[in-house]
Amino acid sequence: MTRPLARFLRWGALGLAGVLVLVVTAAWFSSRLPDRYNVMSMGTMDPGMPAGSPADGHQGQAGPEEHSGHGSVGALAPDAGRGQAPDRSVSSLVTDPSRRADVVVDLVATQGRVRLPDGREVEGFALNGRTPGPTITAVEGQLVEVRVRNDNVAEGMTLHWHGVDVPNAEDGVAGVTQDAIAPGGRHVYRFIAQAGTYWYHSHQVSDPQVRGGLLGALVVAPSSDTSRAVVPGSTVDVIALSHTYGGKRTLNGRAGESRAGAPPGAAARLRVINTDPGPIPVWVTGTAYRVVAVDGRDVHEPTTVTNRSVSVTAGGRADLEVTVPPVGAVRLQVAGASIVVGDGSAPPPASAPREEVDLLSYGTPTPLEFDAGKPTRTFEYVIARRLGFLDGRPGMWWTINGGMYPDVPMFMVAEADVVRVRIVNGSGEVHPMHLHGHHAVVLSRNGTRASGSPWWFDSLNVEAGETYEVAFVADNPGIWMDHCHNLGHAREGLVAHLAYVGVTSPFVIGGDARNTPE
């Protein structure tokens, strides 16, 4: 090799290395998040905006110093031509403040050592000294008021009412609908109870706080249920809240076997709540069962199930109905824990059945109250993964529609819109997708149309390689998270938002309250 050529190659290599350093430095710098930013100033404009809608309104910004500088503003100006009222703050979207509460609950959040119902002690979080926290019960239509005090949770905390379509101000998302409740601080939540099985958990630094047990069950009886007495032939409620503490899965904080009394012949409603990051199979031995509700919504004409399990996604719920046999008892199982329902001897634990109930075809059809075939807004939610920087950290991060947080979609809707969403998971891992403030219905999976009962959900298990089409009516104004409920994934950027035209937020991510919703 000649000396000039060697010199040229050496300088060329140095130049290429310099360019790579500049590219990587620019990528690192552009990924850094500001200390405070309004959620409405992040993200990219969703496609298919209504005709005549301006795209240059910085709706929802609390001030220029809080703008993230990432992407284009995913919001519409308040005069977007959709008949929308003037701007409303999320703080104004509340339950009637003049109405007196029917159910009042006081909760105190603490951090430290906590004793589980099965006797073990773990490091984590508690509500009123317990984890899971107290079960909140109400009757449909009652106004529930929950008064929360943060005793010593150092990073602050909130409570989110998972699956309850609360007014936006009550959603409990730090930096979006409220500030985190600092140690010594207080916050009051008020909402109308909706019949079904739900749960509550922190939405501030949510991955470690939920894993650590800052959560509890919320059960709302239908208004027609006038008697809760346990007598032969009546319905017995059995809560089965699944959570993993110290590597052991528990039901209601108990590993192994626990019992729930029920007389022979009683109908028992087994309310399964999955608070863990991934899906779990649930099954029953000792009798047949029916899946009577999913995510707080009744199944239309459920059929009898034997020798099949039900998959309950992260954040999801399934209500199973059984009849306690005249002799013996029934066993509800998840891997590592079970509840024996009844006063007699129980069948021994059994392994999970090989077959699962397919909610796409379970039950019988009934017409929807809206025409999902004629949506006014359509969106794509395509999940993938790629190498890059997130807030200056290198790694493999989740992407939504090709963008990495915070350059992710801001899905804009107006009230009464019929919304259709195509969810595509090309990421290689399962994602339990959770939309706040709304229930959606599954239209198809991998091109196969739903043929059973309308499958309403707020938490949907989307396996790797799957595609779902879902629809809902935009009937709850606000700024709503639409994220993966494997909260570690959400922390790694798998978070988008559904926002209504004309709704603003005075809160910021970061800031003095150190708001960190994921």
Side-chain angles (χ1 to χ4, degrees), residues 48-422:
M49 299 306 296
S53 298
D56 57 354
H58 285 34
Q59 174 192 349
Q61 285 183 225
E65 73 282 3
E66 291 150 10
H67 192 284
S68 72
H70 291 268
S72 58
V73 177
L76 299 180
D79 57 346
R82 305 295 300 277
Q84 191 72 19
D87 281 4
R88 292 172 288 175
S89 168
V90 298
S91 300
S92 70
L93 299 173
V94 298
T95 304
D96 181 1
S98 65
R99 178 174 167 179
R100 186 173 181 177
D102 302 293
V103 177
V104 177
V105 179
D106 290 291
L107 296 176
V108 179
T110 54
Q111 181 175 1
R113 297 291 291 178
V114 56
R115 183 179 294 275
L116 301 177
D118 65 11
R120 290 183 294 140
E121 284 196 356
V122 295
E123 194 72 28
F125 302 88
L127 289 154
N128 293 3
R130 304 163 43 186
T131 180
T135 295
I136 299 174
T137 60
V139 175
E140 179 183 15
Q142 289 185 324
L143 195 155
V144 179
E145 180 174 295
V146 183
R147 304 182 298 205
V148 181
R149 178 169 66 85
N150 178 4
D151 182 54
N152 69 338
V153 179
E155 294 185 280
M157 50 80 63
T158 67
L159 288 182
H160 165 63
W161 311 96
H162 189 112
V164 186
D165 299 338
V166 297
N168 196 217
E170 314 300 337
D171 198 38
V173 179
V176 181
T177 65
Q178 69 172 90
D179 281 329
I181 309 168
R186 300 172 183 267
H187 192 88
V188 177
Y189 299 92
R190 288 165 51 90
F191 55 89
I192 303 299
Q194 301 155 16
T197 303
Y198 308 99
W199 63 297
Y200 60 91
H201 63 82
S202 179
H203 229 302
Q204 159 73 356
V205 197
S206 55
D207 184 33
Q209 290 191 4
V210 173
R211 287 180 185 269
L214 197 51
L215 52 86
L218 168 63
V219 174
V220 180
S223 56
S224 58
D225 195 354
T226 56
S227 174
R228 311 302 291 165
V230 178
V231 296
S234 71
T235 298
V236 178
D237 261 1
V238 178
I239 295 171
L241 185 150
S242 176
H243 192 75
T244 299
Y245 295 95
K248 287 188 177 182
R249 179 168 289 139
T250 69
L251 289 175
N252 305 325
R254 297 179 184 273
E257 179 182 305
S258 56
R259 296 194 72 105
R269 191 179 188 106
L270 315 179
R271 299 179 182 267
V272 181
I273 304 169
N274 181 10
T275 68
D276 279 325
I280 58 170
V282 181
W283 63 99
V284 171
T285 56
T287 190
Y289 67 93
R290 299 187 305 149
V291 184
V292 294
V294 174
D295 285 0
R297 297 296 181 266
D298 289 343
V299 173
H300 185 245
E301 296 181 350
T303 53
T304 301
V305 174
T306 56
N307 298 320
R308 282 186 289 170
S309 63
V310 177
S311 181
V312 183
T313 195
R317 289 87 59 215
D319 291 14
L320 314 182
E321 187 179 77
V322 301
T323 299
V324 179
V327 178
V330 175
R331 185 183 296 273
L332 172 72
Q333 291 186 242
V334 298
S338 65
I339 298 177
V340 174
V341 182
D343 301 324
S345 60
S351 57
R354 293 183 178 181
E355 295 186 10
E356 290 187 351
V357 174
D358 188 351
L359 295 176
L360 198 70
S361 57
Y362 182 73
T364 59
T366 189
L368 300 175
E369 295 182 354
F370 65 97
D371 189 350
K374 296 180 180 179
T376 49
R377 302 292 283 127
T378 58
F379 302 112
E380 293 257 317
Y381 199 125
V382 180
I383 305 166
R385 202 173 194 183
R386 65 177 168 86
L387 184 67
F389 290 93
L390 177 59
D391 197 18
R393 294 171 293 156
M396 288 291 292
W397 305 108
W398 309 108
T399 63
I400 304 173
N401 296 354
M404 189 181 298
Y405 187 91
D407 296 321
V408 293
M410 182 67 70
F411 300 118
M412 298 301 304
V413 297
E415 288 186 65
D417 274 345
V418 174
V419 184
R420 188 163 175 145
V421 185
R422 183 170 174 263

Side-chain angles (χ1 to χ4, degrees), residues 27 30-34 37-40 42-44 68 70-71 174-176 381 386 388-393 397-410 481-483 489-497 508-510 515-518:
S30 65
S31 77
R32 294 299 304 274
L33 297 172
Y37 61 95
N38 188 281
V39 70
M40 292 299 293
M42 61 173 273
T44 54
S68 72
H70 291 268
V176 181
Y381 199 125
R386 65 177 168 86
F389 290 93
L390 177 59
D391 197 18
R393 294 171 293 156
W397 305 108
W398 309 108
T399 63
I400 304 173
N401 296 354
M404 189 181 298
Y405 187 91
D407 296 321
V408 293
M410 182 67 70
M481 274 197 161
D482 188 357
H483 66 104
H489 291 178
R491 188 184 65 242
E492 295 167 356
L494 193 37
V495 177
H497 291 82
V508 296
I509 308 296
N515 293 318
T516 310
E518 301 296 350

Side-chain angles (χ1 to χ4, degrees), residues 23-37:
V23 169
V24 170
T25 301
W28 172 85
F29 183 79
S30 65
S31 77
R32 294 299 304 274
L33 297 172
D35 292 335
R36 50 192 291 132
Y37 61 95

